[in-house]
Amino acid sequence: MRDVAVVGIGVMRFGELWETPLRDLCVNASLQAVEDAGVDRVDSIVVGSMACGLFTEQEHVAALAADYLGLGPVPATRVEAACASGGAALRAGFAEVASGLSDVVLVLGVEKMTDVSGDATTAGLATAAEQEYETFYGATFPGMSAMIARAYMERYHAAPEHLAAVAVKNHAHGALNPLAQFQNTITVDDVLQSVLVADPLHMLDCSPVSDGAAAVVLCSAETARRARKRPIRITGVGFATDTISLYRRPDLTRMAAVERAAKAAYAMARRAPGDIQVAEVHDGFTIMEICSIEELGFVPRGQGKDAAPSGLTALGGRIPVNPGGGLKARGHPVGATGVAQACEIVTQLRGEAGKRQVPGARIGLTQNMGGSAGSASVHIFEA
Amino acid sequence: MRDVAVVGIGVMRFGELWETPLRDLCVNASLQAVEDAGVDRVDSIVVGSMACGLFTEQEHVAALAADYLGLGPVPATRVEAACASGGAALRAGFAEVASGLSDVVLVLGVEKMTDVSGDATTAGLATAAEQEYETFYGATFPGMSAMIARAYMERYHAAPEHLAAVAVKNHAHGALNPLAQFQNTITVDDVLQSVLVADPLHMLDCSPVSDGAAAVVLCSAETARRARKRPIRITGVGFATDTISLYRRPDLTRMAAVERAAKAAYAMARRAPGDIQVAEVHDGFTIMEICSIEELGFVPRGQGKDAAPSGLTALGGRIPVNPGGGLKARGHPVGATGVAQACEIVTQLRGEAGKRQVPGARIGLTQNMGGSAGSASVHIFEA
């Protein structure tokens, strides 16, 4: 298998970008990544987008992106794995370069979610869940995540304050990231006093609905030698699935797909959880970061709730998680998230993260998931 | 790059499968393919589906398929490139095996299109076209294909009878395929007397709206040695894009992406158009087969119209095209088509095509496209 490296990144500030059409989001992030890489060509494009058809009535977005980038006729395909679409696209781009089918691949993650009503957005996101036996009967992701949070709280005696601490930490990190959608700090009281979306989850336990795009340029190790900046190697790739039907999960507090994807990535990179110096983790809801850091092996099961309150996962802690603000503060245009996480880790490993820099970070990890961990993607990056 | 072979195929009879849910379509075709391959494991699943979210309110279909196949926790991702989603999924599966990321990959193509109204189906398909500047103003694929047909007829003095001959040929082939949605023969008069959908295209110039799935099992050449049946190697892979905006095409009679994808596949396989003994070509509308066989190099430009009337592309002709009935007679569940084409070519190269067998066929080609050739996929198979 050929070695694969990230040589360019491009990410925009996410938000409610009313005046920026889907195609412009694609072009904006992609041109930044190509410029950053300093490559003179792109052989193929892989686009991660969860529901462009439902949110913008535009499927076939990969060909559209290639066209508006002036990169047609290169191959361009879209990859979808619900909210893990960005991570899945990164994996597909990795396979294209590793196989030799392409030498320089642009991996783009994009979602435009605010062009439809809030109800339509919630319904669109719910298509990532079990349609026939759960969504059809009214289940939504905030509701299902609340059930997971409730189960975790019962099992491990966690309190709403434990959940809130994750949002407080990620907003504090986002306040140091000029590209975060939310750059305001919040307190535990702010979270607990925000409107209750689905008990025990308050509004500030939930990541926002956002528009945005992020892109990375991948290439072979050989081509990477000619890159403008230090190449960041992708040394571990893991992806796994689990039933997307919560009612069929033996234990709501487990995210088995995350554990399996992580084990695969650690094995490929010949690394252990203790080797990871910085991580971007899928905090779509605060409870998800708590469960995820347990599955990633950063903390023992049941102790994820204490990581944020103790400072373990904060900048300056043993294993900083979501230094870029996470989905909570950076924003969560679903298809873009997995790629934006990669952009943040590459920025950290380049030592270009400014006020949010994790000193001396050389090994980083991204974890992206979809449909309550029905799909999970883990990548390990090394400087 | 590792060599990749098809060791198993599974395809169902397409149609209006009211009583078969999306997940059952996935399981049906997949289990056939795994059984045919005789493999004892699957390392990864790639699903081609164009618009499962719009047609069935179920995104995240790859994880759903893995779950209902009992194959979770293996990696499972969806690939989309409009009506070329099946071909794009085949290419992604090829890259996974060629890279060594996976050794045995199940590539599944699926679409359930009849659970929504006819208008919603047409609208869903139209999301593969330019939303902001064409679809929004009422353009539909029958309408845009009619413009292409009109331009071709003016340029090359083609008549409706030339278009009709393609449908007549493909229905004659479908009548020999027990898995074709339509197994009735038709005449040129039947086509010309069928309702006019978009002048000059009659109803019988158009492929049907179908439900269905098709699957292939890919593996490395080494693992293929242990397969139950003769492995069929994939020796050429080509994919290309073009503007999806018809108004920006310099020449409506050209499908540049098909020509580029074909050149890439021929170069990789070290083959020329004259080497191809049997082909499955994307006849979503009769005009598309005519333009495609020109871009594939089977006939000179402007002579595609004469291929069906002269018998050149019929069974027994110099280069039989769509022996399985094509999209027109086999049916066209969009995401499944590119994979179903591969199943037909593998069946031909195995010598198992029965009444529709192309004698001694050893080299075959599939061409799948989406959004009026905004995306085009070409694969070359060798026994």
Side-chain angles (χ1 to χ4, degrees):
Chain A
M1 192 184 309
R2 304 203 308 170
D3 287 340
V4 180
V6 180
V7 292
I9 60 174
V11 61
M12 57 171 53
R13 183 177 181 182
F14 300 157
E16 295 188 5
L17 309 179
W18 303 106
E19 297 180 346
T20 312
L22 177 68
R23 67 196 66 194
D24 291 6
L25 296 177
C26 295
V27 170
N28 176 314
S30 298
L31 291 186
Q32 282 188 60
V34 169
E35 173 66 19
D36 184 53
V39 290
D40 55 8
R41 73 175 209 285
V42 167
D43 300 329
S44 180
I45 302 173
V46 181
V47 179
S49 179
M50 175 189 157
C52 44
L54 288 164
F55 293 144
T56 63
E57 297 179 4
Q58 180 69 73
E59 304 280 5
H60 210 188
V61 63
L64 182 72
D67 182 13
Y68 277 79
L69 276 164
L71 286 174
V74 301
T77 54
R78 169 188 166 212
V79 175
E80 182 265 323
C83 293
S85 296
L90 190 60
R91 178 177 177 272
F94 178 95
E96 271 200 50
V97 175
S99 69
L101 202 57
S102 302
D103 195 48
V104 181
V105 175
L106 173 69
V107 177
L108 167 70
V110 64
E111 211 80 56
K112 185 153 181 67
M113 305 173 71
T114 66
D115 273 2
V116 291
S117 72
D119 287 355
T121 305
T122 300
L125 291 168
T127 60
E130 162 64 78
Q131 169 62 24
E132 295 196 14
Y133 301 127
E134 291 184 338
T135 313
F136 180 82
Y137 298 99
T140 62
F141 275 103
M144 292 187 284
S145 299
M147 290 194 288
I148 292 171
R150 175 62 62 198
Y152 185 93
M153 290 165 74
E154 293 293 337
R155 170 80 57 90
Y156 297 115
H157 311 297
E161 287 75 5
H162 289 104
L163 303 176
V166 173
V168 170
K169 168 183 70 79
N170 291 345
H171 267 261
H173 291 174
L176 305 176
N177 181 1
L179 293 178
Q181 178 170 353
F182 300 128
Q183 298 178 24
N184 60 307
T185 56
I186 58 175
T187 66
V188 168
D189 279 351
D190 291 333
V191 178
L192 300 184
Q193 285 163 27
S194 64
V195 63
L196 200 56
V197 173
D199 189 4
L201 301 178
H202 294 78
M203 187 185 73
L204 290 178
D205 283 295
C206 313
S207 58
V209 166
S210 317
D211 303 324
V216 298
V217 174
L218 305 181
C219 69
S220 62
E222 188 179 339
T223 300
R225 292 200 200 91
R226 300 195 299 274
R228 181 171 295 163
K229 294 183 178 178
R230 179 208 296 175
I232 302 300
R233 291 169 301 135
I234 297 179
T235 56
V237 177
F239 199 99
T241 53
D242 190 2
T243 175
I244 65 173
S245 314
L246 284 199
Y247 76 89
R248 296 178 57 219
R249 299 260 178 102
D251 179 350
L252 284 182
T253 70
R254 290 297 315 282
M255 292 182 171
V258 176
E259 179 184 46
R260 286 179 181 276
K263 282 185 173 175
Y266 288 136
M268 182 173 167
R270 296 195 181 77
R271 294 293 184 183
D275 296 324
I276 305 303
Q277 300 165 309
V278 57
E280 283 278 310
V281 168
H282 196 98
D283 59 320
F285 296 94
T286 48
I287 183 63
M288 289 185 175
E289 177 172 314
I290 291 172
C291 294
S292 293
I293 59 176
E294 293 180 7
E295 302 293 355
L296 291 167
F298 294 163
V299 296
R301 214 168 292 291
Q303 294 183 26
K305 66 181 192 302
D306 306 311
S310 70
L312 180 83
T313 49
L315 282 166
R318 195 193 84 212
I319 168 69
V321 169
N322 289 324
L327 284 57
K328 177 68 195 75
R330 185 178 51 236
H332 183 34
V334 292
T337 287
V339 182
Q341 291 176 318
C343 292
E344 175 65 19
I345 292 301
V346 168
T347 301
Q348 290 283 345
L349 301 190
R350 283 176 171 180
E352 299 178 346
K355 295 178 181 174
R356 66 185 193 280
Q357 180 67 47
V358 176
R362 290 285 174 272
I363 307 175
L365 174 148
T366 59
Q367 173 253 339
N368 180 207
M369 61 189 187
S372 303
S375 289
S377 167
V378 172
H379 287 83
I380 295 173
F381 302 78
E382 304 194 29
Chain B
M1 193 184 307
R2 304 203 305 169
D3 286 340
V4 180
V6 179
V7 292
I9 60 173
V11 60
M12 57 172 49
R13 183 177 181 182
F14 299 157
E16 294 187 7
L17 309 178
W18 303 106
E19 298 178 348
T20 312
L22 178 68
R23 66 197 67 194
D24 292 7
L25 296 178
C26 294
V27 170
N28 176 314
S30 298
L31 291 185
Q32 283 188 59
V34 169
E35 172 66 18
D36 185 52
V39 291
D40 56 9
R41 73 174 209 285
V42 168
D43 300 329
S44 180
I45 302 173
V46 180
V47 179
S49 179
M50 174 188 158
C52 44
L54 287 165
F55 293 145
T56 63
E57 296 178 5
Q58 181 68 74
E59 305 280 4
H60 211 189
V61 64
L64 183 72
D67 182 13
Y68 277 80
L69 276 164
L71 287 173
V74 301
T77 54
R78 169 189 166 210
V79 174
E80 182 266 322
C83 292
S85 297
L90 190 60
R91 177 176 179 273
F94 177 95
E96 271 201 51
V97 175
S99 69
L101 202 58
S102 302
D103 194 49
V104 181
V105 175
L106 172 69
V107 177
L108 167 69
V110 64
E111 210 80 56
K112 185 155 181 64
M113 305 173 70
T114 66
D115 274 3
V116 291
S117 72
D119 286 355
T121 305
T122 300
L125 290 169
T127 61
E130 162 64 78
Q131 168 62 23
E132 295 196 15
Y133 301 126
E134 291 183 339
T135 313
F136 180 81
Y137 297 99
T140 62
F141 275 104
M144 292 187 283
S145 299
M147 289 194 288
I148 292 172
R150 176 61 62 199
Y152 186 94
M153 290 164 73
E154 294 292 337
R155 171 80 56 88
Y156 298 115
H157 311 297
E161 287 76 6
H162 289 104
L163 303 176
V166 173
V168 171
K169 167 184 70 79
N170 291 345
H171 267 260
H173 291 174
L176 305 176
N177 181 2
L179 293 178
Q181 179 169 351
F182 301 129
Q183 298 178 23
N184 61 307
T185 57
I186 59 175
T187 67
V188 168
D189 280 352
D190 292 333
V191 179
L192 300 184
Q193 285 163 26
S194 63
V195 62
L196 201 56
V197 173
D199 190 5
L201 302 179
H202 295 77
M203 187 185 73
L204 291 177
D205 284 294
C206 312
S207 58
V209 166
S210 317
D211 303 323
V216 298
V217 174
L218 306 181
C219 69
S220 62
E222 188 179 341
T223 300
R225 293 200 199 91
R226 301 195 300 274
R228 181 170 293 161
K229 295 183 177 177
R230 180 208 297 175
I232 302 300
R233 290 169 300 135
I234 297 179
T235 56
V237 177
F239 199 98
T241 54
D242 190 2
T243 175
I244 66 173
S245 314
L246 284 199
Y247 77 91
R248 296 178 56 218
R249 300 260 179 103
D251 179 349
L252 283 182
T253 69
R254 290 296 316 281
M255 292 182 174
V258 176
E259 180 183 45
R260 286 177 181 274
K263 282 185 173 174
Y266 288 136
M268 182 172 167
R270 298 196 179 78
R271 295 293 184 181
D275 296 324
I276 306 302
Q277 300 165 309
V278 56
E280 284 278 309
V281 169
H282 196 98
D283 60 320
F285 296 94
T286 47
I287 183 64
M288 289 186 175
E289 178 171 314
I290 291 173
C291 294
S292 294
I293 60 176
E294 293 180 8
E295 302 293 355
L296 291 167
F298 294 163
V299 296
R301 214 166 293 290
Q303 294 184 27
K305 68 182 193 300
D306 305 311
S310 71
L312 180 83
T313 48
L315 282 165
R318 194 193 84 212
I319 168 69
V321 169
N322 288 324
L327 284 56
K328 178 68 195 77
R330 185 178 51 237
H332 183 35
V334 290
T337 286
V339 182
Q341 291 176 319
C343 291
E344 175 64 20
I345 292 302
V346 168
T347 301
Q348 290 283 345
L349 301 191
R350 282 176 172 179
E352 299 178 346
K355 295 178 180 175
R356 65 185 193 281
Q357 180 67 48
V358 176
R362 290 283 175 272
I363 306 175
L365 175 148
T366 59
Q367 174 253 338
N368 180 206
M369 62 189 186
S372 303
S375 289
S377 167
V378 172
H379 288 83
I380 294 173
F381 301 79
E382 304 194 29

